[in-house]
Amino acid sequence: MFDIEKIRADFPILSREICGKPLVYLDNAATSQTPSCVFERISDTYCRINANVHRGVHTLSQEATDAHESARERVRKFINAPKSEEVIFTRGTTESINLVASSFGKKYLSDGDEIILTVMEHHANIVPWQLLQSDKKIGLRVVPIDEHGVLDQEVYRSLFNERTRFVSLSHVSNVLGTVNPVKEMIRYAHEKGVPVLIDGAQAAPHLRIDVQDLDADFYVLSAHKVYGPTGIGVLYGKEKWLNEMPPYQGGGEMIAHVDFEKTTFGNLPFKFEAGTPDYVGTTAFASALDYVDRIGLENIASHEAGLMKYTTERLMKIEGMRIFGTAPEKSSVISFLVDGIHHYDMGMLLDKLGIAVRTGHHCAQPLMTSLGIEGTVRASFAVYNTQAEADAFITAVEKVVKMFK
Ligand code: PMP
């Protein structure tokens, strides 16, 4: 049974007041709140089993190692990866994409090669590819969107040529909410012999991810958007690529043997995990995934879809309202502007009314340029948001609009 009050009780922060008003947290696409089972797990790790992993013979180190490696297995199950060795822990989506761009780039890219991105990418899926351009003359080709925020598949297919080496695109847009048809796009890229990375930062909290069904070569996500702790991310990669790719960083944990003449590297996943991993974070992330599974991703998605429909319909009735992103397949974000009101003004006034939303370019400046705007106000839903909160948000937007009349 989906019991919203019981769910809300798991998130102590939701009982805060902001400016004397109950907090309505609608900035979930930036970071979701954390249920108590997650920070209790953090506290439990520090209180009972804190010790460096992988290198100790003593009991605490073995327990910490077991917990950390079980977390890897937990993530494997969450994304249905074939093997837990294909799950690399990173600091987040950003680091995961930088790892692939740098390592894949070193091994497989040369002057004149091309990479396909889309106009809706987060800066985390643009800048790492641009950094390669200081070493190699790599071309970036960009898939545009239509007026609903849907990727133009005809242009996508037309961008492939004999120099196309990689495709990197988001599963769900953090601004438009568009759910991209990544399975079909991957299939097409594979027909052309091109591997694909999917940025799943905005998909993981809302959609069931099956990397085998998608046949993704790489899939990346961040724990802090899936009710987990900050500073933990995932890079899933097919073994065949990860085995061939050179290490990203060097240091302890990632080696087999070190000599001043020659060093050999460890096996997967350790080859890509230099230094002491954040085992406190990985184990807490496993607790977050258990929490999500207890509620059920499908239940979360249908609850959020109800809130999205209700809020969108009511917002559309406000004079001067423009919603960016009206794709038929859309996830839990609503980006909007009201004529004559700057997004920062809207965001700041909403905060005074207890409503937390995000304003600005949402780390997607090329998308803003293509839409001909500087930024939007973005409200985004999570499992614990209620219809009463949606009402409070809509009433607050109406109030701000009246102030500007
Ligand atoms: N990609 C997308 C689609 C995102 O929404 C975000 C977070 N806003 C990122 C990448 C970057 O994630 P992180 O900051 O956790 O590395």
Side-chain angles (χ1 to χ4, degrees):
M1 246 269 290
F2 190 88
D3 182 345
I4 188 81
E5 285 314 318
K6 197 157 161 282
I7 289 168
R8 287 181 69 78
D10 293 330
F11 295 83
I13 201 169
L14 298 178
S15 58
R16 266 201 67 170
E17 291 196 340
I18 304 292
C19 305
K21 303 268 185 327
L23 166 67
V24 175
Y25 187 78
L26 298 179
D27 194 17
N28 297 288
T31 290
S32 54
Q33 295 303 342
T34 323
S36 38
C37 62
V38 171
F39 46 81
E40 278 160 11
R41 183 76 188 265
I42 292 173
S43 156
D44 182 61
T45 304
Y46 279 122
C47 289
R48 283 195 322 109
I49 59 168
N50 187 36
N52 208 325
V53 293
H54 296 139
R55 33 182 115 127
V57 291
H58 62 83
T59 303
L60 289 190
S61 175
Q62 283 170 17
E63 286 180 8
T65 304
D66 286 349
H68 176 63
E69 291 306 323
S70 306
R72 196 187 304 280
E73 171 57 20
R74 186 68 193 76
V75 172
R76 183 204 67 72
K77 222 172 112 203
F78 185 70
I79 58 174
N80 194 32
K83 296 179 178 179
S84 61
E85 296 92 303
E86 296 173 314
V87 174
I88 314 290
F89 283 121
T90 63
R91 285 194 303 118
T93 300
T94 302
E95 189 173 57
S96 298
I97 300 175
N98 273 279
L99 190 163
V100 175
S102 162
S103 175
F104 187 95
K106 247 184 222 144
K107 172 91 184 178
Y108 294 105
L109 300 181
S110 4
D111 287 355
D113 286 346
E114 292 185 359
I115 293 167
I116 298 178
L117 306 174
T118 84
V119 74
M120 64 171 77
E121 296 314 308
H122 188 280
H123 295 163
N125 196 22
I126 300 172
V127 185
W129 302 107
Q130 287 176 328
L131 290 178
L132 292 176
Q133 291 173 320
S134 61
D135 275 349
K136 299 178 186 184
K137 292 192 186 66
I138 289 161
L140 302 181
R141 311 299 301 272
V142 181
V143 186
I145 49 173
D146 69 12
E147 69 277 18
H148 297 290
V150 174
L151 289 175
D152 187 327
Q153 294 299 324
E154 222 165 281
V155 175
Y156 170 63
R157 290 191 286 271
S158 75
L159 291 179
F160 284 82
N161 61 45
E162 70 287 351
R163 298 312 304 262
T164 309
R165 294 286 175 267
F166 203 82
V167 175
S168 197
L169 82 150
S170 47
H171 198 162
V172 173
S173 159
N174 66 320
V175 176
L176 306 165
T178 311
V179 180
N180 291 319
V182 290
K183 188 171 172 180
E184 291 70 36
M185 294 175 79
I186 291 170
R187 192 185 309 128
Y188 188 80
H190 286 175
E191 277 168 30
K192 305 281 169 194
V194 176
V196 182
L197 179 146
I198 302 297
D199 172 353
Q202 295 296 338
H206 313 289
L207 308 178
R208 177 120 349 251
I209 293 158
D210 183 334
V211 294
Q212 293 188 72
D213 180 54
L214 294 177
D215 201 18
D217 297 276
F218 301 94
Y219 197 99
V220 299
L221 57 97
S222 296
H224 69 96
K225 295 185 199 283
V226 200
Y227 310 105
T230 54
I232 288 293
V234 171
L235 161 63
Y236 158 77
K238 282 183 182 168
E239 193 179 26
K240 68 167 182 181
W241 295 117
L242 294 177
N243 270 334
E244 294 296 317
M245 284 159 51
Y248 176 53
Q249 292 182 328
E253 300 264 346
M254 52 77 74
I255 51 86
H257 181 80
V258 177
D259 214 302
F260 280 112
E261 277 66 49
K262 182 176 166 57
T263 286
T264 49
F265 305 123
N267 293 326
L268 293 177
F270 307 112
K271 184 172 101 176
F272 290 106
E273 293 182 353
T276 300
D278 181 0
Y279 50 88
V280 178
T282 57
T283 49
F285 185 35
S287 292
L289 296 180
D290 288 343
Y291 182 81
V292 167
D293 269 3
R294 279 199 296 278
I295 299 173
L297 253 182
E298 287 72 16
N299 294 331
I300 295 174
S302 83
H303 172 70
E304 291 170 349
L307 291 174
M308 279 289 288
K309 185 167 180 300
Y310 176 77
T311 310
T312 305
E313 281 169 11
R314 289 217 29 214
L315 282 180
M316 286 302 287
K317 296 200 174 111
I318 296 174
E319 211 188 309
M321 173 64 63
R322 272 194 296 165
I323 291 183
F324 297 87
T326 50
E329 279 255 34
K330 187 174 167 180
S331 185
S332 295
V333 295
I334 304 176
S335 281
F336 67 94
L337 285 173
V338 181
D339 288 346
I341 307 178
H342 195 276
H343 47 277
Y344 285 132
D345 293 335
M346 175 67 81
M348 272 164 54
L349 290 166
L350 288 178
D351 182 55
K352 299 282 173 281
L353 298 166
I355 320 279
V357 291
R358 184 132 301 233
T359 60
H361 54 62
H362 315 295
C363 298
Q365 280 181 325
L367 175 61
M368 295 298 135
T369 305
S370 88
L371 294 169
I373 55 177
E374 279 173 27
T376 70
V377 184
R378 182 185 71 183
S380 49
F381 295 106
V383 63
Y384 38 69
N385 290 124
T386 64
Q387 175 140 348
E389 288 186 315
D391 283 330
F393 164 61
I394 294 154
T395 308
V397 173
E398 287 167 347
K399 205 166 178 178
V400 173
V401 171
K402 268 199 198 114
M403 285 168 67
F404 279 80
K405 275 211 165 145

mmCIF file with all atom_site columns, all heavy atoms in Angstrom, residues 29-30 91-95 97 122 124 170 172-174 199 201-202 222 224-225, ligand 1:
data_model
loop_
_atom_site.group_PDB
_atom_site.id
_atom_site.type_symbol
_atom_site.label_atom_id
_atom_site.label_alt_id
_atom_site.label_comp_id
_atom_site.label_asym_id
_atom_site.label_entity_id
_atom_site.label_seq_id
_atom_site.pdbx_PDB_ins_code
_atom_site.Cartn_x
_atom_site.Cartn_y
_atom_site.Cartn_z
_atom_site.occupancy
_atom_site.B_iso_or_equiv
_atom_site.pdbx_formal_charge
_atom_site.auth_seq_id
_atom_site.auth_comp_id
_atom_site.auth_asym_id
_atom_site.auth_atom_id
_atom_site.pdbx_PDB_model_num
ATOM   1   N N   . ALA A 1 29  ? 14.855 17.289 -8.582  1.00 0.00 ? 29  ALA A N   1
ATOM   2   C CA  . ALA A 1 29  ? 15.708 16.942 -9.720  1.00 0.00 ? 29  ALA A CA  1
ATOM   3   C C   . ALA A 1 29  ? 17.147 17.350 -9.447  1.00 0.00 ? 29  ALA A C   1
ATOM   4   O O   . ALA A 1 29  ? 18.079 16.811 -10.037 1.00 0.00 ? 29  ALA A O   1
ATOM   5   C CB  . ALA A 1 29  ? 15.202 17.610 -10.990 1.00 0.00 ? 29  ALA A CB  1
ATOM   6   N N   . ALA A 1 30  ? 17.338 18.322 -8.528  1.00 0.00 ? 30  ALA A N   1
ATOM   7   C CA  . ALA A 1 30  ? 18.708 18.708 -8.159  1.00 0.00 ? 30  ALA A CA  1
ATOM   8   C C   . ALA A 1 30  ? 19.249 17.734 -7.124  1.00 0.00 ? 30  ALA A C   1
ATOM   9   O O   . ALA A 1 30  ? 20.341 17.188 -7.288  1.00 0.00 ? 30  ALA A O   1
ATOM   10  C CB  . ALA A 1 30  ? 18.732 20.132 -7.622  1.00 0.00 ? 30  ALA A CB  1
ATOM   11  N N   . ARG A 1 91  ? 32.223 9.470  -7.865  1.00 0.00 ? 91  ARG A N   1
ATOM   12  C CA  . ARG A 1 91  ? 31.654 10.521 -7.002  1.00 0.00 ? 91  ARG A CA  1
ATOM   13  C C   . ARG A 1 91  ? 30.288 10.982 -7.508  1.00 0.00 ? 91  ARG A C   1
ATOM   14  O O   . ARG A 1 91  ? 29.607 11.729 -6.836  1.00 0.00 ? 91  ARG A O   1
ATOM   15  C CB  . ARG A 1 91  ? 32.591 11.731 -6.946  1.00 0.00 ? 91  ARG A CB  1
ATOM   16  C CG  . ARG A 1 91  ? 33.814 11.489 -6.062  1.00 0.00 ? 91  ARG A CG  1
ATOM   17  C CD  . ARG A 1 91  ? 34.529 12.780 -5.767  1.00 0.00 ? 91  ARG A CD  1
ATOM   18  N NE  . ARG A 1 91  ? 34.927 13.454 -6.996  1.00 0.00 ? 91  ARG A NE  1
ATOM   19  C CZ  . ARG A 1 91  ? 34.496 14.650 -7.366  1.00 0.00 ? 91  ARG A CZ  1
ATOM   20  N NH1 . ARG A 1 91  ? 33.663 15.335 -6.616  1.00 0.00 ? 91  ARG A NH1 1
ATOM   21  N NH2 . ARG A 1 91  ? 34.900 15.186 -8.505  1.00 0.00 ? 91  ARG A NH2 1
ATOM   22  N N   . GLY A 1 92  ? 29.918 10.595 -8.705  1.00 0.00 ? 92  GLY A N   1
ATOM   23  C CA  . GLY A 1 92  ? 28.628 11.036 -9.232  1.00 0.00 ? 92  GLY A CA  1
ATOM   24  C C   . GLY A 1 92  ? 28.600 10.913 -10.739 1.00 0.00 ? 92  GLY A C   1
ATOM   25  O O   . GLY A 1 92  ? 29.574 10.478 -11.373 1.00 0.00 ? 92  GLY A O   1
ATOM   26  N N   . THR A 1 93  ? 27.478 11.303 -11.319 1.00 0.00 ? 93  THR A N   1
ATOM   27  C CA  . THR A 1 93  ? 27.311 11.254 -12.774 1.00 0.00 ? 93  THR A CA  1
ATOM   28  C C   . THR A 1 93  ? 28.439 12.002 -13.475 1.00 0.00 ? 93  THR A C   1
ATOM   29  O O   . THR A 1 93  ? 29.000 11.540 -14.471 1.00 0.00 ? 93  THR A O   1
ATOM   30  C CB  . THR A 1 93  ? 25.957 11.898 -13.141 1.00 0.00 ? 93  THR A CB  1
ATOM   31  O OG1 . THR A 1 93  ? 24.927 11.154 -12.493 1.00 0.00 ? 93  THR A OG1 1
ATOM   32  C CG2 . THR A 1 93  ? 25.714 11.885 -14.625 1.00 0.00 ? 93  THR A CG2 1
ATOM   33  N N   . THR A 1 94  ? 28.767 13.177 -12.941 1.00 0.00 ? 94  THR A N   1
ATOM   34  C CA  . THR A 1 94  ? 29.797 14.020 -13.562 1.00 0.00 ? 94  THR A CA  1
ATOM   35  C C   . THR A 1 94  ? 31.117 13.262 -13.651 1.00 0.00 ? 94  THR A C   1
ATOM   36  O O   . THR A 1 94  ? 31.754 13.219 -14.712 1.00 0.00 ? 94  THR A O   1
ATOM   37  C CB  . THR A 1 94  ? 29.981 15.306 -12.743 1.00 0.00 ? 94  THR A CB  1
ATOM   38  O OG1 . THR A 1 94  ? 28.726 15.975 -12.688 1.00 0.00 ? 94  THR A OG1 1
ATOM   39  C CG2 . THR A 1 94  ? 31.028 16.222 -13.353 1.00 0.00 ? 94  THR A CG2 1
ATOM   40  N N   . GLU A 1 95  ? 31.529 12.660 -12.537 1.00 0.00 ? 95  GLU A N   1
ATOM   41  C CA  . GLU A 1 95  ? 32.803 11.943 -12.569 1.00 0.00 ? 95  GLU A CA  1
ATOM   42  C C   . GLU A 1 95  ? 32.718 10.724 -13.493 1.00 0.00 ? 95  GLU A C   1
ATOM   43  O O   . GLU A 1 95  ? 33.670 10.403 -14.194 1.00 0.00 ? 95  GLU A O   1
ATOM   44  C CB  . GLU A 1 95  ? 33.242 11.510 -11.168 1.00 0.00 ? 95  GLU A CB  1
ATOM   45  C CG  . GLU A 1 95  ? 34.659 10.959 -11.204 1.00 0.00 ? 95  GLU A CG  1
ATOM   46  C CD  . GLU A 1 95  ? 35.231 10.652 -9.831  1.00 0.00 ? 95  GLU A CD  1
ATOM   47  O OE1 . GLU A 1 95  ? 34.609 9.846  -9.092  1.00 0.00 ? 95  GLU A OE1 1
ATOM   48  O OE2 . GLU A 1 95  ? 36.280 11.207 -9.495  1.00 0.00 ? 95  GLU A OE2 1
ATOM   49  N N   . ILE A 1 97  ? 31.010 10.385 -16.250 1.00 0.00 ? 97  ILE A N   1
ATOM   50  C CA  . ILE A 1 97  ? 31.136 10.782 -17.664 1.00 0.00 ? 97  ILE A CA  1
ATOM   51  C C   . ILE A 1 97  ? 32.570 11.241 -17.955 1.00 0.00 ? 97  ILE A C   1
ATOM   52  O O   . ILE A 1 97  ? 33.140 10.912 -19.004 1.00 0.00 ? 97  ILE A O   1
ATOM   53  C CB  . ILE A 1 97  ? 30.106 11.873 -18.037 1.00 0.00 ? 97  ILE A CB  1
ATOM   54  C CG1 . ILE A 1 97  ? 28.683 11.346 -17.819 1.00 0.00 ? 97  ILE A CG1 1
ATOM   55  C CG2 . ILE A 1 97  ? 30.288 12.304 -19.513 1.00 0.00 ? 97  ILE A CG2 1
ATOM   56  C CD1 . ILE A 1 97  ? 27.579 12.363 -18.047 1.00 0.00 ? 97  ILE A CD1 1
ATOM   57  N N   . HIS A 1 122 ? 22.996 18.004 -20.119 1.00 0.00 ? 122 HIS A N   1
ATOM   58  C CA  . HIS A 1 122 ? 23.545 18.714 -18.958 1.00 0.00 ? 122 HIS A CA  1
ATOM   59  C C   . HIS A 1 122 ? 25.018 19.024 -19.270 1.00 0.00 ? 122 HIS A C   1
ATOM   60  O O   . HIS A 1 122 ? 25.666 18.272 -20.010 1.00 0.00 ? 122 HIS A O   1
ATOM   61  C CB  . HIS A 1 122 ? 23.433 17.757 -17.766 1.00 0.00 ? 122 HIS A CB  1
ATOM   62  C CG  . HIS A 1 122 ? 23.767 18.351 -16.445 1.00 0.00 ? 122 HIS A CG  1
ATOM   63  N ND1 . HIS A 1 122 ? 25.059 18.531 -16.000 1.00 0.00 ? 122 HIS A ND1 1
ATOM   64  C CD2 . HIS A 1 122 ? 22.966 18.784 -15.435 1.00 0.00 ? 122 HIS A CD2 1
ATOM   65  C CE1 . HIS A 1 122 ? 25.036 19.038 -14.777 1.00 0.00 ? 122 HIS A CE1 1
ATOM   66  N NE2 . HIS A 1 122 ? 23.784 19.210 -14.408 1.00 0.00 ? 122 HIS A NE2 1
ATOM   67  N N   . ALA A 1 124 ? 27.454 18.383 -17.702 1.00 0.00 ? 124 ALA A N   1
ATOM   68  C CA  . ALA A 1 124 ? 28.270 17.205 -17.348 1.00 0.00 ? 124 ALA A CA  1
ATOM   69  C C   . ALA A 1 124 ? 28.440 16.256 -18.522 1.00 0.00 ? 124 ALA A C   1
ATOM   70  O O   . ALA A 1 124 ? 29.344 15.411 -18.511 1.00 0.00 ? 124 ALA A O   1
ATOM   71  C CB  . ALA A 1 124 ? 27.633 16.450 -16.180 1.00 0.00 ? 124 ALA A CB  1
ATOM   72  N N   . SER A 1 170 ? 21.282 11.911 -22.644 1.00 0.00 ? 170 SER A N   1
ATOM   73  C CA  . SER A 1 170 ? 20.542 11.706 -21.402 1.00 0.00 ? 170 SER A CA  1
ATOM   74  C C   . SER A 1 170 ? 19.329 10.816 -21.641 1.00 0.00 ? 170 SER A C   1
ATOM   75  O O   . SER A 1 170 ? 18.699 10.871 -22.701 1.00 0.00 ? 170 SER A O   1
ATOM   76  C CB  . SER A 1 170 ? 20.116 13.045 -20.812 1.00 0.00 ? 170 SER A CB  1
ATOM   77  O OG  . SER A 1 170 ? 19.553 13.851 -21.801 1.00 0.00 ? 170 SER A OG  1
ATOM   78  N N   . VAL A 1 172 ? 16.700 11.015 -19.489 1.00 0.00 ? 172 VAL A N   1
ATOM   79  C CA  . VAL A 1 172 ? 15.623 11.971 -19.199 1.00 0.00 ? 172 VAL A CA  1
ATOM   80  C C   . VAL A 1 172 ? 16.249 13.357 -19.064 1.00 0.00 ? 172 VAL A C   1
ATOM   81  O O   . VAL A 1 172 ? 17.261 13.512 -18.368 1.00 0.00 ? 172 VAL A O   1
ATOM   82  C CB  . VAL A 1 172 ? 14.908 11.600 -17.876 1.00 0.00 ? 172 VAL A CB  1
ATOM   83  C CG1 . VAL A 1 172 ? 13.909 12.674 -17.477 1.00 0.00 ? 172 VAL A CG1 1
ATOM   84  C CG2 . VAL A 1 172 ? 14.214 10.245 -17.988 1.00 0.00 ? 172 VAL A CG2 1
ATOM   85  N N   . SER A 1 173 ? 15.641 14.349 -19.717 1.00 0.00 ? 173 SER A N   1
ATOM   86  C CA  . SER A 1 173 ? 16.166 15.721 -19.637 1.00 0.00 ? 173 SER A CA  1
ATOM   87  C C   . SER A 1 173 ? 15.862 16.332 -18.276 1.00 0.00 ? 173 SER A C   1
ATOM   88  O O   . SER A 1 173 ? 14.731 16.281 -17.802 1.00 0.00 ? 173 SER A O   1
ATOM   89  C CB  . SER A 1 173 ? 15.535 16.582 -20.727 1.00 0.00 ? 173 SER A CB  1
ATOM   90  O OG  . SER A 1 173 ? 15.636 17.952 -20.384 1.00 0.00 ? 173 SER A OG  1
ATOM   91  N N   . ASN A 1 174 ? 16.885 16.979 -17.672 1.00 0.00 ? 174 ASN A N   1
ATOM   92  C CA  . ASN A 1 174 ? 16.685 17.597 -16.362 1.00 0.00 ? 174 ASN A CA  1
ATOM   93  C C   . ASN A 1 174 ? 15.913 18.907 -16.447 1.00 0.00 ? 174 ASN A C   1
ATOM   94  O O   . ASN A 1 174 ? 15.513 19.459 -15.425 1.00 0.00 ? 174 ASN A O   1
ATOM   95  C CB  . ASN A 1 174 ? 18.030 17.828 -15.652 1.00 0.00 ? 174 ASN A CB  1
ATOM   96  C CG  . ASN A 1 174 ? 18.888 18.856 -16.363 1.00 0.00 ? 174 ASN A CG  1
ATOM   97  O OD1 . ASN A 1 174 ? 18.937 18.879 -17.589 1.00 0.00 ? 174 ASN A OD1 1
ATOM   98  N ND2 . ASN A 1 174 ? 19.551 19.710 -15.625 1.00 0.00 ? 174 ASN A ND2 1
ATOM   99  N N   . ASP A 1 199 ? 23.222 8.984  -19.905 1.00 0.00 ? 199 ASP A N   1
ATOM   100 C CA  . ASP A 1 199 ? 23.253 9.735  -18.658 1.00 0.00 ? 199 ASP A CA  1
ATOM   101 C C   . ASP A 1 199 ? 21.897 9.516  -17.972 1.00 0.00 ? 199 ASP A C   1
ATOM   102 O O   . ASP A 1 199 ? 20.886 10.090 -18.369 1.00 0.00 ? 199 ASP A O   1
ATOM   103 C CB  . ASP A 1 199 ? 23.497 11.215 -18.981 1.00 0.00 ? 199 ASP A CB  1
ATOM   104 C CG  . ASP A 1 199 ? 23.340 12.104 -17.750 1.00 0.00 ? 199 ASP A CG  1
ATOM   105 O OD1 . ASP A 1 199 ? 22.923 11.611 -16.691 1.00 0.00 ? 199 ASP A OD1 1
ATOM   106 O OD2 . ASP A 1 199 ? 23.627 13.312 -17.874 1.00 0.00 ? 199 ASP A OD2 1
ATOM   107 N N   . ALA A 1 201 ? 21.075 10.212 -14.831 1.00 0.00 ? 201 ALA A N   1
ATOM   108 C CA  . ALA A 1 201 ? 20.922 10.960 -13.563 1.00 0.00 ? 201 ALA A CA  1
ATOM   109 C C   . ALA A 1 201 ? 19.458 11.260 -13.243 1.00 0.00 ? 201 ALA A C   1
ATOM   110 O O   . ALA A 1 201 ? 19.032 11.156 -12.099 1.00 0.00 ? 201 ALA A O   1
ATOM   111 C CB  . ALA A 1 201 ? 21.726 12.259 -13.628 1.00 0.00 ? 201 ALA A CB  1
ATOM   112 N N   . GLN A 1 202 ? 18.680 11.627 -14.268 1.00 0.00 ? 202 GLN A N   1
ATOM   113 C CA  . GLN A 1 202 ? 17.278 11.989 -14.022 1.00 0.00 ? 202 GLN A CA  1
ATOM   114 C C   . GLN A 1 202 ? 16.320 10.825 -14.244 1.00 0.00 ? 202 GLN A C   1
ATOM   115 O O   . GLN A 1 202 ? 15.130 10.951 -13.988 1.00 0.00 ? 202 GLN A O   1
ATOM   116 C CB  . GLN A 1 202 ? 16.863 13.160 -14.932 1.00 0.00 ? 202 GLN A CB  1
ATOM   117 C CG  . GLN A 1 202 ? 17.586 14.454 -14.647 1.00 0.00 ? 202 GLN A CG  1
ATOM   118 C CD  . GLN A 1 202 ? 17.282 15.015 -13.258 1.00 0.00 ? 202 GLN A CD  1
ATOM   119 O OE1 . GLN A 1 202 ? 16.260 14.710 -12.637 1.00 0.00 ? 202 GLN A OE1 1
ATOM   120 N NE2 . GLN A 1 202 ? 18.186 15.844 -12.762 1.00 0.00 ? 202 GLN A NE2 1
ATOM   121 N N   . SER A 1 222 ? 23.682 9.214  -10.304 1.00 0.00 ? 222 SER A N   1
ATOM   122 C CA  . SER A 1 222 ? 24.136 9.781  -9.020  1.00 0.00 ? 222 SER A CA  1
ATOM   123 C C   . SER A 1 222 ? 23.214 9.308  -7.902  1.00 0.00 ? 222 SER A C   1
ATOM   124 O O   . SER A 1 222 ? 21.986 9.376  -8.041  1.00 0.00 ? 222 SER A O   1
ATOM   125 C CB  . SER A 1 222 ? 24.078 11.309 -9.046  1.00 0.00 ? 222 SER A CB  1
ATOM   126 O OG  . SER A 1 222 ? 24.962 11.840 -9.993  1.00 0.00 ? 222 SER A OG  1
ATOM   127 N N   . HIS A 1 224 ? 22.633 10.763 -5.021  1.00 0.00 ? 224 HIS A N   1
ATOM   128 C CA  . HIS A 1 224 ? 21.905 11.807 -4.283  1.00 0.00 ? 224 HIS A CA  1
ATOM   129 C C   . HIS A 1 224 ? 20.583 12.206 -4.944  1.00 0.00 ? 224 HIS A C   1
ATOM   130 O O   . HIS A 1 224 ? 19.810 12.966 -4.366  1.00 0.00 ? 224 HIS A O   1
ATOM   131 C CB  . HIS A 1 224 ? 22.789 13.049 -4.092  1.00 0.00 ? 224 HIS A CB  1
ATOM   132 C CG  . HIS A 1 224 ? 23.080 13.800 -5.346  1.00 0.00 ? 224 HIS A CG  1
ATOM   133 N ND1 . HIS A 1 224 ? 22.362 14.895 -5.731  1.00 0.00 ? 224 HIS A ND1 1
ATOM   134 C CD2 . HIS A 1 224 ? 24.013 13.613 -6.311  1.00 0.00 ? 224 HIS A CD2 1
ATOM   135 C CE1 . HIS A 1 224 ? 22.847 15.355 -6.875  1.00 0.00 ? 224 HIS A CE1 1
ATOM   136 N NE2 . HIS A 1 224 ? 23.844 14.589 -7.252  1.00 0.00 ? 224 HIS A NE2 1
ATOM   137 N N   . LYS A 1 225 ? 20.339 11.712 -6.144  1.00 0.00 ? 225 LYS A N   1
ATOM   138 C CA  . LYS A 1 225 ? 19.037 11.979 -6.773  1.00 0.00 ? 225 LYS A CA  1
ATOM   139 C C   . LYS A 1 225 ? 18.080 10.795 -6.575  1.00 0.00 ? 225 LYS A C   1
ATOM   140 O O   . LYS A 1 225 ? 16.941 10.835 -7.003  1.00 0.00 ? 225 LYS A O   1
ATOM   141 C CB  . LYS A 1 225 ? 19.211 12.256 -8.266  1.00 0.00 ? 225 LYS A CB  1
ATOM   142 C CG  . LYS A 1 225 ? 20.007 13.536 -8.548  1.00 0.00 ? 225 LYS A CG  1
ATOM   143 C CD  . LYS A 1 225 ? 20.044 13.842 -10.012 1.00 0.00 ? 225 LYS A CD  1
ATOM   144 C CE  . LYS A 1 225 ? 21.147 14.793 -10.406 1.00 0.00 ? 225 LYS A CE  1
ATOM   145 N NZ  . LYS A 1 225 ? 20.896 16.192 -10.087 1.00 0.00 ? 225 LYS A NZ  1
HETATM 146 N N1  . PMP B 2 .   ? 23.224 14.843 -15.871 1.00 0.00 ? 1   PMP B N1  1
HETATM 147 C C1  . PMP B 2 .   ? 21.970 15.215 -15.582 1.00 0.00 ? 1   PMP B C1  1
HETATM 148 C C2  . PMP B 2 .   ? 20.866 14.941 -16.585 1.00 0.00 ? 1   PMP B C2  1
HETATM 149 C C3  . PMP B 2 .   ? 21.695 15.845 -14.377 1.00 0.00 ? 1   PMP B C3  1
HETATM 150 O O1  . PMP B 2 .   ? 20.455 16.228 -14.084 1.00 0.00 ? 1   PMP B O1  1
HETATM 151 C C4  . PMP B 2 .   ? 22.751 16.065 -13.452 1.00 0.00 ? 1   PMP B C4  1
HETATM 152 C C5  . PMP B 2 .   ? 22.504 16.741 -12.124 1.00 0.00 ? 1   PMP B C5  1
HETATM 153 N N2  . PMP B 2 .   ? 21.822 17.946 -12.207 1.00 0.00 ? 1   PMP B N2  1
HETATM 154 C C6  . PMP B 2 .   ? 24.037 15.653 -13.805 1.00 0.00 ? 1   PMP B C6  1
HETATM 155 C C7  . PMP B 2 .   ? 24.229 15.038 -15.021 1.00 0.00 ? 1   PMP B C7  1
HETATM 156 C C8  . PMP B 2 .   ? 25.191 15.852 -12.887 1.00 0.00 ? 1   PMP B C8  1
HETATM 157 O O2  . PMP B 2 .   ? 25.046 15.071 -11.729 1.00 0.00 ? 1   PMP B O2  1
HETATM 158 P P1  . PMP B 2 .   ? 26.042 15.213 -10.510 1.00 0.00 ? 1   PMP B P1  1
HETATM 159 O O3  . PMP B 2 .   ? 26.113 16.683 -10.193 1.00 0.00 ? 1   PMP B O3  1
HETATM 160 O O4  . PMP B 2 .   ? 25.409 14.414 -9.418  1.00 0.00 ? 1   PMP B O4  1
HETATM 161 O O5  . PMP B 2 .   ? 27.359 14.678 -10.938 1.00 0.00 ? 1   PMP B O5  1
#
